[in-house]
Amino acid sequence: MKAVSFCLAGGLLALAVAACSPEPGPRASVILAADPAPKLSDYGFFASANAGAAPSEGVRPYDLVNALFSDYAAKHRLVYVPKGQSATYNPDTVFDFPVGSALIKTFAFAPDMRDPALNERYIETRVLIHKPEGWVAYPYIWNKEQTEAAYSPVGGRQPIETISPEGKPLTIDYAVPNRNQCKECHSTGDDFVPIGPSARNLNHVGPAGVNQLADWIERGLLTGAPADAPAAPAVYGDAPLEERARAWLDINCAHCHKAAGGASNSGLFLAWNETDPTGWGIHKRPTAAGRGSGDDLFVIEPGHPDQSILVHRIESTEPGVLMPELGRTVTDEKALALIRQWISAMPTEGAADIE
């Protein structure tokens, strides 16, 4: 948009043309447009285009009790709900966000992930937008100058050299997913849905230093949440071992391993509220043999992690074997130790051979 001003000077008409700055804050016309914006800054989610810029007014930082492992990347999450509207509470699934809402997640690495905020660099930002026809996902890749992120529907790969939180040198062939790959994790039946912002994942003290559900309610972002909303135990906290192991499976695996998920044909149902141990994989044979099984007979062989397919696939970095299939290229060593400990502690007597 151009602002045109006229003045009379010395009998001559002078014309001055100045560019108008866009309105600050999220821009509904861009968010709800049929096509994705060419640049991340076009949406107005941030105060400026530079990496690390503060979110605009009305855009709220949040985090999860437990996060999906993505090659040790740090993640910065933001939520935007149109002014005057709110998400509707659901005790089991992701909240029902109104049309025009957005979830913005930025992935970053530092030279040493033991101090992830020191000299971190943004790699990609994924924007999930609730359009009138449903949710869509748009990947954006940051430039080397860290001044802008450009829409990249085909994704991309970036080499990362860093130190892991355990102090080990890591070389990561980091993959930014393309739009079709996003659907593999975010699909429930025929619907594309977010994964993280559910009651159990948000019900804790967040970046603002207060309980996030209470904060969202106070700010008008959420309605209908009860005082006794469920909360996932912290995977590396003080909860019982089984609860923590299942919380890890819930956030890392259950988006596919559920009744309407992409891996429903496996017979593995790894959500936090699954009550049948067979659904977790205890003495359950795989639905299809192959190298993914590692010659093991059961998904979980109680008391024997080295004979459990689950451990084999979490430990592997081989395409076609590793689980989850997308989002990682290295082994989550801490999680692997947790799952091994959980299986080792399982009683071996009375376990049924289930086919």
Side-chain angles (χ1 to χ4, degrees):
M1 177 179 178
K2 299 291 185 180
V4 182
S5 62
F6 298 89
C7 65
L8 200 59
L12 298 176
L13 186 65
L15 174 63
V17 180
C20 270
S21 298
E23 287 294 321
R27 298 162 195 141
S29 61
V30 180
I31 293 170
L32 293 175
D35 296 320
K39 305 187 300 296
L40 181 62
S41 61
D42 293 335
Y43 294 105
F45 294 132
F46 300 92
S48 75
N50 291 331
S56 297
E57 184 176 354
V59 181
R60 189 72 177 159
Y62 74 97
D63 64 12
L64 306 179
V65 176
N66 302 305
L68 174 72
F69 177 78
S70 304
D71 282 350
Y72 295 104
K75 299 178 183 180
H76 305 286
R77 297 175 176 84
L78 299 170
V79 58
Y80 168 69
V81 176
K83 189 174 182 179
Q85 301 187 59
S86 59
T88 302
Y89 175 84
N90 187 302
D92 299 316
T93 61
V94 170
F95 300 150
D96 184 11
F97 288 86
V99 169
S101 298
L103 300 169
I104 306 105
K105 182 167 63 173
T106 296
F107 296 69
F109 284 93
D112 189 333
M113 293 306 290
R114 291 173 294 185
D115 190 355
L118 182 63
N119 298 322
E120 76 171 352
R121 290 186 60 82
Y122 285 11
I123 304 300
E124 60 157 323
T125 295
R126 301 176 193 175
V127 179
L128 271 65
I129 298 175
H130 194 186
K131 307 269 191 175
E133 64 274 16
W135 286 91
V136 296
Y138 299 145
Y140 290 80
I141 296 179
W142 284 85
N143 60 21
K144 293 181 179 179
E145 296 77 21
Q146 298 283 277
T147 56
E148 184 62 90
Y151 176 57
S152 181
V154 298
R157 305 194 79 91
Q158 295 200 28
I160 305 292
E161 298 284 345
T162 187
I163 303 296
S164 77
E166 292 79 29
K168 298 179 180 180
L170 275 181
T171 298
I172 301 169
D173 184 21
Y174 184 83
V176 178
N178 61 48
R179 284 191 62 183
N180 289 330
Q181 287 175 315
C182 291
K183 296 177 183 178
E184 294 183 29
C185 292
H186 285 272
S187 292
T188 296
D190 294 329
D191 297 326
F192 184 98
V193 296
I195 294 173
S198 62
R200 66 186 181 278
N201 290 327
L202 292 170
N203 193 5
H204 77 131
V205 175
V210 296
N211 180 275
Q212 288 183 137
L213 293 186
D215 182 60
W216 283 28
I217 292 170
E218 182 179 349
R219 294 174 180 275
L221 299 176
L222 177 66
T223 58
D228 60 347
V235 168
Y236 303 113
D238 299 325
L241 176 61
E242 180 176 299
E243 292 183 18
R244 294 188 290 114
R246 294 202 56 207
W248 186 89
L249 293 172
D250 180 67
I251 193 62
N252 282 275
C253 310
H255 49 274
C256 286
H257 285 278
K258 59 185 179 183
S264 60
N265 62 349
S266 69
L268 279 179
F269 304 111
L270 300 176
W272 66 288
N273 55 355
E274 174 61 51
T275 58
D276 182 1
T278 305
W280 314 342
I282 293 180
H283 261 214
K284 181 188 182 307
R285 295 184 184 275
T287 55
R291 60 195 182 97
S293 67
D295 297 325
D296 296 319
L297 297 178
F298 302 108
V299 177
I300 293 177
E301 176 66 68
H304 301 283
D306 290 328
Q307 299 173 27
S308 298
I309 296 170
L310 182 66
V311 168
H312 173 62
R313 304 200 77 169
I314 292 173
E315 186 174 25
S316 177
T317 58
E318 182 182 352
V321 176
L322 84 169
M323 282 289 174
E325 292 180 312
L326 296 173
R328 77 170 180 93
T329 60
V330 301
T331 301
D332 183 350
E333 298 289 351
K334 199 171 181 179
L336 177 63
L338 172 70
I339 299 301
R340 291 180 65 90
Q341 183 185 5
W342 175 47
I343 295 175
S344 295
M346 291 179 181
T348 59
E349 294 183 3
D353 185 350
I354 301 170
E355 303 206 26

PDB file of all heavy atoms in Angstrom, residues 240-273:
ATOM      1  N   PRO A 240       6.174 -42.989  38.820  1.00  0.00           N
ATOM      2  CA  PRO A 240       6.560 -44.391  38.646  1.00  0.00           C
ATOM      3  C   PRO A 240       7.078 -44.674  37.240  1.00  0.00           C
ATOM      4  O   PRO A 240       6.666 -44.053  36.259  1.00  0.00           O
ATOM      5  CB  PRO A 240       5.258 -45.145  38.939  1.00  0.00           C
ATOM      6  CG  PRO A 240       4.499 -44.243  39.862  1.00  0.00           C
ATOM      7  CD  PRO A 240       4.821 -42.849  39.392  1.00  0.00           C
ATOM      8  N   LEU A 241       7.965 -45.644  37.153  1.00  0.00           N
ATOM      9  CA  LEU A 241       8.656 -45.963  35.903  1.00  0.00           C
ATOM     10  C   LEU A 241       7.687 -46.235  34.760  1.00  0.00           C
ATOM     11  O   LEU A 241       7.857 -45.716  33.651  1.00  0.00           O
ATOM     12  CB  LEU A 241       9.572 -47.178  36.128  1.00  0.00           C
ATOM     13  CG  LEU A 241      10.309 -47.725  34.902  1.00  0.00           C
ATOM     14  CD1 LEU A 241      11.235 -46.664  34.309  1.00  0.00           C
ATOM     15  CD2 LEU A 241      11.104 -48.975  35.296  1.00  0.00           C
ATOM     16  N   GLU A 242       6.673 -47.056  35.002  1.00  0.00           N
ATOM     17  CA  GLU A 242       5.743 -47.393  33.924  1.00  0.00           C
ATOM     18  C   GLU A 242       5.025 -46.156  33.395  1.00  0.00           C
ATOM     19  O   GLU A 242       4.845 -45.996  32.185  1.00  0.00           O
ATOM     20  CB  GLU A 242       4.719 -48.417  34.394  1.00  0.00           C
ATOM     21  CG  GLU A 242       3.723 -48.807  33.301  1.00  0.00           C
ATOM     22  CD  GLU A 242       2.762 -49.894  33.733  1.00  0.00           C
ATOM     23  OE1 GLU A 242       3.242 -50.996  34.067  1.00  0.00           O
ATOM     24  OE2 GLU A 242       1.542 -49.636  33.740  1.00  0.00           O
ATOM     25  N   GLU A 243       4.607 -45.264  34.292  1.00  0.00           N
ATOM     26  CA  GLU A 243       3.912 -44.050  33.872  1.00  0.00           C
ATOM     27  C   GLU A 243       4.815 -43.177  32.996  1.00  0.00           C
ATOM     28  O   GLU A 243       4.365 -42.597  32.007  1.00  0.00           O
ATOM     29  CB  GLU A 243       3.441 -43.269  35.088  1.00  0.00           C
ATOM     30  CG  GLU A 243       2.340 -43.957  35.879  1.00  0.00           C
ATOM     31  CD  GLU A 243       1.860 -43.104  37.042  1.00  0.00           C
ATOM     32  OE1 GLU A 243       2.120 -41.881  37.032  1.00  0.00           O
ATOM     33  OE2 GLU A 243       1.240 -43.668  37.963  1.00  0.00           O
ATOM     34  N   ARG A 244       6.079 -43.093  33.350  1.00  0.00           N
ATOM     35  CA  ARG A 244       6.998 -42.251  32.582  1.00  0.00           C
ATOM     36  C   ARG A 244       7.302 -42.869  31.218  1.00  0.00           C
ATOM     37  O   ARG A 244       7.371 -42.162  30.202  1.00  0.00           O
ATOM     38  CB  ARG A 244       8.282 -42.027  33.374  1.00  0.00           C
ATOM     39  CG  ARG A 244       8.039 -41.207  34.643  1.00  0.00           C
ATOM     40  CD  ARG A 244       9.324 -40.810  35.345  1.00  0.00           C
ATOM     41  NE  ARG A 244       9.990 -41.948  35.956  1.00  0.00           N
ATOM     42  CZ  ARG A 244      11.169 -42.430  35.569  1.00  0.00           C
ATOM     43  NH1 ARG A 244      11.803 -41.875  34.540  1.00  0.00           N
ATOM     44  NH2 ARG A 244      11.724 -43.445  36.195  1.00  0.00           N
ATOM     45  N   ALA A 245       7.476 -44.189  31.182  1.00  0.00           N
ATOM     46  CA  ALA A 245       7.741 -44.852  29.902  1.00  0.00           C
ATOM     47  C   ALA A 245       6.545 -44.708  28.969  1.00  0.00           C
ATOM     48  O   ALA A 245       6.700 -44.420  27.770  1.00  0.00           O
ATOM     49  CB  ALA A 245       8.056 -46.335  30.141  1.00  0.00           C
ATOM     50  N   ARG A 246       5.348 -44.871  29.514  1.00  0.00           N
ATOM     51  CA  ARG A 246       4.157 -44.760  28.675  1.00  0.00           C
ATOM     52  C   ARG A 246       3.914 -43.315  28.250  1.00  0.00           C
ATOM     53  O   ARG A 246       3.361 -43.060  27.165  1.00  0.00           O
ATOM     54  CB  ARG A 246       2.952 -45.349  29.401  1.00  0.00           C
ATOM     55  CG  ARG A 246       3.078 -46.868  29.606  1.00  0.00           C
ATOM     56  CD  ARG A 246       1.752 -47.516  29.819  1.00  0.00           C
ATOM     57  NE  ARG A 246       0.855 -47.218  28.714  1.00  0.00           N
ATOM     58  CZ  ARG A 246      -0.474 -47.193  28.854  1.00  0.00           C
ATOM     59  NH1 ARG A 246      -1.026 -47.430  30.037  1.00  0.00           N
ATOM     60  NH2 ARG A 246      -1.249 -46.930  27.816  1.00  0.00           N
ATOM     61  N   ALA A 247       4.310 -42.361  29.082  1.00  0.00           N
ATOM     62  CA  ALA A 247       4.206 -40.954  28.679  1.00  0.00           C
ATOM     63  C   ALA A 247       5.128 -40.676  27.498  1.00  0.00           C
ATOM     64  O   ALA A 247       4.787 -39.894  26.602  1.00  0.00           O
ATOM     65  CB  ALA A 247       4.555 -40.042  29.850  1.00  0.00           C
ATOM     66  N   TRP A 248       6.307 -41.300  27.475  1.00  0.00           N
ATOM     67  CA  TRP A 248       7.215 -41.132  26.326  1.00  0.00           C
ATOM     68  C   TRP A 248       6.593 -41.736  25.067  1.00  0.00           C
ATOM     69  O   TRP A 248       6.625 -41.121  23.995  1.00  0.00           O
ATOM     70  CB  TRP A 248       8.570 -41.790  26.608  1.00  0.00           C
ATOM     71  CG  TRP A 248       9.563 -41.511  25.531  1.00  0.00           C
ATOM     72  CD1 TRP A 248      10.431 -40.451  25.445  1.00  0.00           C
ATOM     73  CD2 TRP A 248       9.781 -42.289  24.338  1.00  0.00           C
ATOM     74  NE1 TRP A 248      11.170 -40.523  24.275  1.00  0.00           N
ATOM     75  CE2 TRP A 248      10.778 -41.636  23.575  1.00  0.00           C
ATOM     76  CE3 TRP A 248       9.221 -43.465  23.837  1.00  0.00           C
ATOM     77  CZ2 TRP A 248      11.240 -42.119  22.360  1.00  0.00           C
ATOM     78  CZ3 TRP A 248       9.676 -43.947  22.610  1.00  0.00           C
ATOM     79  CH2 TRP A 248      10.671 -43.276  21.888  1.00  0.00           C
ATOM     80  N   LEU A 249       6.017 -42.934  25.186  1.00  0.00           N
ATOM     81  CA  LEU A 249       5.374 -43.562  24.035  1.00  0.00           C
ATOM     82  C   LEU A 249       4.200 -42.731  23.545  1.00  0.00           C
ATOM     83  O   LEU A 249       3.948 -42.627  22.338  1.00  0.00           O
ATOM     84  CB  LEU A 249       4.898 -44.969  24.404  1.00  0.00           C
ATOM     85  CG  LEU A 249       5.994 -46.003  24.692  1.00  0.00           C
ATOM     86  CD1 LEU A 249       5.380 -47.275  25.241  1.00  0.00           C
ATOM     87  CD2 LEU A 249       6.807 -46.298  23.435  1.00  0.00           C
ATOM     88  N   ASP A 250       3.487 -42.120  24.469  1.00  0.00           N
ATOM     89  CA  ASP A 250       2.310 -41.319  24.108  1.00  0.00           C
ATOM     90  C   ASP A 250       2.704 -40.148  23.211  1.00  0.00           C
ATOM     91  O   ASP A 250       2.087 -39.920  22.164  1.00  0.00           O
ATOM     92  CB  ASP A 250       1.631 -40.811  25.378  1.00  0.00           C
ATOM     93  CG  ASP A 250       0.402 -39.965  25.073  1.00  0.00           C
ATOM     94  OD1 ASP A 250      -0.583 -40.518  24.554  1.00  0.00           O
ATOM     95  OD2 ASP A 250       0.428 -38.757  25.348  1.00  0.00           O
ATOM     96  N   ILE A 251       3.711 -39.387  23.592  1.00  0.00           N
ATOM     97  CA  ILE A 251       4.054 -38.186  22.824  1.00  0.00           C
ATOM     98  C   ILE A 251       4.876 -38.514  21.582  1.00  0.00           C
ATOM     99  O   ILE A 251       4.813 -37.811  20.576  1.00  0.00           O
ATOM    100  CB  ILE A 251       4.799 -37.154  23.702  1.00  0.00           C
ATOM    101  CG1 ILE A 251       4.876 -35.786  23.003  1.00  0.00           C
ATOM    102  CG2 ILE A 251       6.191 -37.647  24.074  1.00  0.00           C
ATOM    103  CD1 ILE A 251       3.536 -35.150  22.736  1.00  0.00           C
ATOM    104  N   ASN A 252       5.618 -39.617  21.598  1.00  0.00           N
ATOM    105  CA  ASN A 252       6.483 -39.932  20.463  1.00  0.00           C
ATOM    106  C   ASN A 252       5.870 -40.903  19.458  1.00  0.00           C
ATOM    107  O   ASN A 252       6.308 -40.935  18.303  1.00  0.00           O
ATOM    108  CB  ASN A 252       7.810 -40.520  20.961  1.00  0.00           C
ATOM    109  CG  ASN A 252       8.752 -39.469  21.491  1.00  0.00           C
ATOM    110  OD1 ASN A 252       9.502 -38.850  20.746  1.00  0.00           O
ATOM    111  ND2 ASN A 252       8.702 -39.248  22.797  1.00  0.00           N
ATOM    112  N   CYS A 253       4.868 -41.687  19.890  1.00  0.00           N
ATOM    113  CA  CYS A 253       4.382 -42.762  19.036  1.00  0.00           C
ATOM    114  C   CYS A 253       2.870 -42.772  18.798  1.00  0.00           C
ATOM    115  O   CYS A 253       2.409 -43.257  17.768  1.00  0.00           O
ATOM    116  CB  CYS A 253       4.775 -44.122  19.636  1.00  0.00           C
ATOM    117  SG  CYS A 253       6.526 -44.277  20.078  1.00  0.00           S
ATOM    118  N   ALA A 254       2.105 -42.257  19.784  1.00  0.00           N
ATOM    119  CA  ALA A 254       0.652 -42.460  19.738  1.00  0.00           C
ATOM    120  C   ALA A 254      -0.048 -41.655  18.658  1.00  0.00           C
ATOM    121  O   ALA A 254      -1.207 -41.947  18.336  1.00  0.00           O
ATOM    122  CB  ALA A 254       0.038 -42.151  21.105  1.00  0.00           C
ATOM    123  N   HIS A 255       0.596 -40.627  18.088  1.00  0.00           N
ATOM    124  CA  HIS A 255      -0.066 -39.897  17.010  1.00  0.00           C
ATOM    125  C   HIS A 255      -0.282 -40.790  15.785  1.00  0.00           C
ATOM    126  O   HIS A 255      -1.180 -40.537  14.977  1.00  0.00           O
ATOM    127  CB  HIS A 255       0.723 -38.643  16.619  1.00  0.00           C
ATOM    128  CG  HIS A 255       2.169 -38.869  16.395  1.00  0.00           C
ATOM    129  ND1 HIS A 255       3.100 -38.837  17.415  1.00  0.00           N
ATOM    130  CD2 HIS A 255       2.875 -39.122  15.271  1.00  0.00           C
ATOM    131  CE1 HIS A 255       4.303 -39.051  16.920  1.00  0.00           C
ATOM    132  NE2 HIS A 255       4.189 -39.234  15.615  1.00  0.00           N
ATOM    133  N   CYS A 256       0.523 -41.850  15.642  1.00  0.00           N
ATOM    134  CA  CYS A 256       0.294 -42.841  14.582  1.00  0.00           C
ATOM    135  C   CYS A 256      -0.315 -44.120  15.145  1.00  0.00           C
ATOM    136  O   CYS A 256      -1.188 -44.734  14.525  1.00  0.00           O
ATOM    137  CB  CYS A 256       1.606 -43.179  13.877  1.00  0.00           C
ATOM    138  SG  CYS A 256       2.224 -41.890  12.777  1.00  0.00           S
ATOM    139  N   HIS A 257       0.174 -44.537  16.325  1.00  0.00           N
ATOM    140  CA  HIS A 257      -0.280 -45.791  16.921  1.00  0.00           C
ATOM    141  C   HIS A 257      -1.525 -45.555  17.768  1.00  0.00           C
ATOM    142  O   HIS A 257      -1.491 -45.574  18.995  1.00  0.00           O
ATOM    143  CB  HIS A 257       0.853 -46.419  17.744  1.00  0.00           C
ATOM    144  CG  HIS A 257       1.918 -47.043  16.898  1.00  0.00           C
ATOM    145  ND1 HIS A 257       1.788 -48.309  16.369  1.00  0.00           N
ATOM    146  CD2 HIS A 257       3.113 -46.560  16.469  1.00  0.00           C
ATOM    147  CE1 HIS A 257       2.873 -48.594  15.656  1.00  0.00           C
ATOM    148  NE2 HIS A 257       3.689 -47.553  15.702  1.00  0.00           N
ATOM    149  N   LYS A 258      -2.633 -45.341  17.063  1.00  0.00           N
ATOM    150  CA  LYS A 258      -3.950 -45.181  17.668  1.00  0.00           C
ATOM    151  C   LYS A 258      -4.973 -45.719  16.681  1.00  0.00           C
ATOM    152  O   LYS A 258      -4.639 -46.001  15.515  1.00  0.00           O
ATOM    153  CB  LYS A 258      -4.229 -43.716  17.997  1.00  0.00           C
ATOM    154  CG  LYS A 258      -4.182 -42.779  16.799  1.00  0.00           C
ATOM    155  CD  LYS A 258      -4.347 -41.323  17.225  1.00  0.00           C
ATOM    156  CE  LYS A 258      -4.260 -40.398  16.005  1.00  0.00           C
ATOM    157  NZ  LYS A 258      -4.346 -38.968  16.390  1.00  0.00           N
ATOM    158  N   ALA A 259      -6.208 -45.839  17.130  1.00  0.00           N
ATOM    159  CA  ALA A 259      -7.225 -46.517  16.321  1.00  0.00           C
ATOM    160  C   ALA A 259      -7.396 -45.900  14.939  1.00  0.00           C
ATOM    161  O   ALA A 259      -7.584 -46.608  13.958  1.00  0.00           O
ATOM    162  CB  ALA A 259      -8.549 -46.539  17.070  1.00  0.00           C
ATOM    163  N   ALA A 260      -7.349 -44.575  14.834  1.00  0.00           N
ATOM    164  CA  ALA A 260      -7.550 -43.913  13.549  1.00  0.00           C
ATOM    165  C   ALA A 260      -6.246 -43.361  12.978  1.00  0.00           C
ATOM    166  O   ALA A 260      -6.269 -42.563  12.045  1.00  0.00           O
ATOM    167  CB  ALA A 260      -8.569 -42.786  13.693  1.00  0.00           C
ATOM    168  N   GLY A 261      -5.108 -43.787  13.536  1.00  0.00           N
ATOM    169  CA  GLY A 261      -3.820 -43.274  13.091  1.00  0.00           C
ATOM    170  C   GLY A 261      -3.238 -44.048  11.932  1.00  0.00           C
ATOM    171  O   GLY A 261      -3.748 -45.096  11.524  1.00  0.00           O
ATOM    172  N   GLY A 262      -2.140 -43.542  11.413  1.00  0.00           N
ATOM    173  CA  GLY A 262      -1.508 -44.153  10.252  1.00  0.00           C
ATOM    174  C   GLY A 262      -0.968 -45.541  10.503  1.00  0.00           C
ATOM    175  O   GLY A 262      -0.769 -46.311   9.561  1.00  0.00           O
ATOM    176  N   ALA A 263      -0.716 -45.906  11.762  1.00  0.00           N
ATOM    177  CA  ALA A 263      -0.179 -47.229  12.092  1.00  0.00           C
ATOM    178  C   ALA A 263      -1.208 -48.094  12.795  1.00  0.00           C
ATOM    179  O   ALA A 263      -0.857 -49.031  13.521  1.00  0.00           O
ATOM    180  CB  ALA A 263       1.065 -47.082  12.964  1.00  0.00           C
ATOM    181  N   SER A 264      -2.490 -47.820  12.584  1.00  0.00           N
ATOM    182  CA  SER A 264      -3.541 -48.576  13.276  1.00  0.00           C
ATOM    183  C   SER A 264      -3.511 -50.057  12.910  1.00  0.00           C
ATOM    184  O   SER A 264      -3.889 -50.914  13.721  1.00  0.00           O
ATOM    185  CB  SER A 264      -4.910 -47.988  12.953  1.00  0.00           C
ATOM    186  OG  SER A 264      -5.167 -48.040  11.559  1.00  0.00           O
ATOM    187  N   ASN A 265      -3.046 -50.372  11.681  1.00  0.00           N
ATOM    188  CA  ASN A 265      -3.020 -51.772  11.263  1.00  0.00           C
ATOM    189  C   ASN A 265      -1.966 -52.591  11.997  1.00  0.00           C
ATOM    190  O   ASN A 265      -1.933 -53.817  11.889  1.00  0.00           O
ATOM    191  CB  ASN A 265      -2.803 -51.878   9.742  1.00  0.00           C
ATOM    192  CG  ASN A 265      -1.476 -51.285   9.296  1.00  0.00           C
ATOM    193  OD1 ASN A 265      -0.800 -50.608  10.066  1.00  0.00           O
ATOM    194  ND2 ASN A 265      -1.106 -51.517   8.044  1.00  0.00           N
ATOM    195  N   SER A 266      -1.097 -51.930  12.755  1.00  0.00           N
ATOM    196  CA  SER A 266      -0.076 -52.653  13.520  1.00  0.00           C
ATOM    197  C   SER A 266      -0.659 -53.335  14.752  1.00  0.00           C
ATOM    198  O   SER A 266      -0.045 -54.244  15.315  1.00  0.00           O
ATOM    199  CB  SER A 266       1.028 -51.684  13.969  1.00  0.00           C
ATOM    200  OG  SER A 266       0.536 -50.786  14.955  1.00  0.00           O
ATOM    201  N   GLY A 267      -1.838 -52.873  15.196  1.00  0.00           N
ATOM    202  CA  GLY A 267      -2.407 -53.405  16.422  1.00  0.00           C
ATOM    203  C   GLY A 267      -1.776 -52.860  17.679  1.00  0.00           C
ATOM    204  O   GLY A 267      -2.142 -53.274  18.783  1.00  0.00           O
ATOM    205  N   LEU A 268      -0.831 -51.940  17.526  1.00  0.00           N
ATOM    206  CA  LEU A 268      -0.208 -51.286  18.677  1.00  0.00           C
ATOM    207  C   LEU A 268      -0.920 -49.974  18.943  1.00  0.00           C
ATOM    208  O   LEU A 268      -1.012 -49.126  18.049  1.00  0.00           O
ATOM    209  CB  LEU A 268       1.276 -51.004  18.404  1.00  0.00           C
ATOM    210  CG  LEU A 268       2.264 -52.151  18.584  1.00  0.00           C
ATOM    211  CD1 LEU A 268       3.667 -51.662  18.247  1.00  0.00           C
ATOM    212  CD2 LEU A 268       2.221 -52.703  19.986  1.00  0.00           C
ATOM    213  N   PHE A 269      -1.388 -49.785  20.153  1.00  0.00           N
ATOM    214  CA  PHE A 269      -2.096 -48.568  20.529  1.00  0.00           C
ATOM    215  C   PHE A 269      -1.380 -47.996  21.759  1.00  0.00           C
ATOM    216  O   PHE A 269      -1.547 -48.504  22.869  1.00  0.00           O
ATOM    217  CB  PHE A 269      -3.563 -48.871  20.793  1.00  0.00           C
ATOM    218  CG  PHE A 269      -4.237 -49.531  19.615  1.00  0.00           C
ATOM    219  CD1 PHE A 269      -4.646 -50.842  19.671  1.00  0.00           C
ATOM    220  CD2 PHE A 269      -4.417 -48.825  18.428  1.00  0.00           C
ATOM    221  CE1 PHE A 269      -5.246 -51.451  18.568  1.00  0.00           C
ATOM    222  CE2 PHE A 269      -5.015 -49.416  17.325  1.00  0.00           C
ATOM    223  CZ  PHE A 269      -5.436 -50.731  17.397  1.00  0.00           C
ATOM    224  N   LEU A 270      -0.596 -46.958  21.533  1.00  0.00           N
ATOM    225  CA  LEU A 270       0.381 -46.524  22.525  1.00  0.00           C
ATOM    226  C   LEU A 270       0.000 -45.236  23.244  1.00  0.00           C
ATOM    227  O   LEU A 270       0.845 -44.617  23.884  1.00  0.00           O
ATOM    228  CB  LEU A 270       1.749 -46.372  21.855  1.00  0.00           C
ATOM    229  CG  LEU A 270       2.287 -47.669  21.232  1.00  0.00           C
ATOM    230  CD1 LEU A 270       3.610 -47.410  20.505  1.00  0.00           C
ATOM    231  CD2 LEU A 270       2.468 -48.750  22.285  1.00  0.00           C
ATOM    232  N   ALA A 271      -1.265 -44.850  23.170  1.00  0.00           N
ATOM    233  CA  ALA A 271      -1.701 -43.641  23.858  1.00  0.00           C
ATOM    234  C   ALA A 271      -1.690 -43.845  25.370  1.00  0.00           C
ATOM    235  O   ALA A 271      -1.763 -44.973  25.870  1.00  0.00           O
ATOM    236  CB  ALA A 271      -3.099 -43.237  23.395  1.00  0.00           C
ATOM    237  N   TRP A 272      -1.648 -42.760  26.092  1.00  0.00           N
ATOM    238  CA  TRP A 272      -1.549 -42.778  27.548  1.00  0.00           C
ATOM    239  C   TRP A 272      -2.727 -43.479  28.218  1.00  0.00           C
ATOM    240  O   TRP A 272      -2.599 -44.049  29.294  1.00  0.00           O
ATOM    241  CB  TRP A 272      -1.464 -41.339  28.058  1.00  0.00           C
ATOM    242  CG  TRP A 272      -2.727 -40.561  27.805  1.00  0.00           C
ATOM    243  CD1 TRP A 272      -3.178 -40.110  26.600  1.00  0.00           C
ATOM    244  CD2 TRP A 272      -3.722 -40.190  28.768  1.00  0.00           C
ATOM    245  NE1 TRP A 272      -4.378 -39.465  26.743  1.00  0.00           N
ATOM    246  CE2 TRP A 272      -4.745 -39.497  28.065  1.00  0.00           C
ATOM    247  CE3 TRP A 272      -3.854 -40.351  30.146  1.00  0.00           C
ATOM    248  CZ2 TRP A 272      -5.869 -38.985  28.689  1.00  0.00           C
ATOM    249  CZ3 TRP A 272      -4.978 -39.833  30.770  1.00  0.00           C
ATOM    250  CH2 TRP A 272      -5.970 -39.169  30.046  1.00  0.00           C
ATOM    251  N   ASN A 273      -3.905 -43.459  27.564  1.00  0.00           N
ATOM    252  CA  ASN A 273      -5.103 -44.014  28.188  1.00  0.00           C
ATOM    253  C   ASN A 273      -5.441 -45.418  27.695  1.00  0.00           C
ATOM    254  O   ASN A 273      -6.527 -45.927  27.961  1.00  0.00           O
ATOM    255  CB  ASN A 273      -6.299 -43.088  27.975  1.00  0.00           C
ATOM    256  CG  ASN A 273      -6.557 -42.774  26.514  1.00  0.00           C
ATOM    257  OD1 ASN A 273      -5.803 -43.173  25.645  1.00  0.00           O
ATOM    258  ND2 ASN A 273      -7.636 -42.043  26.246  1.00  0.00           N
TER     259      ASN A 273
END
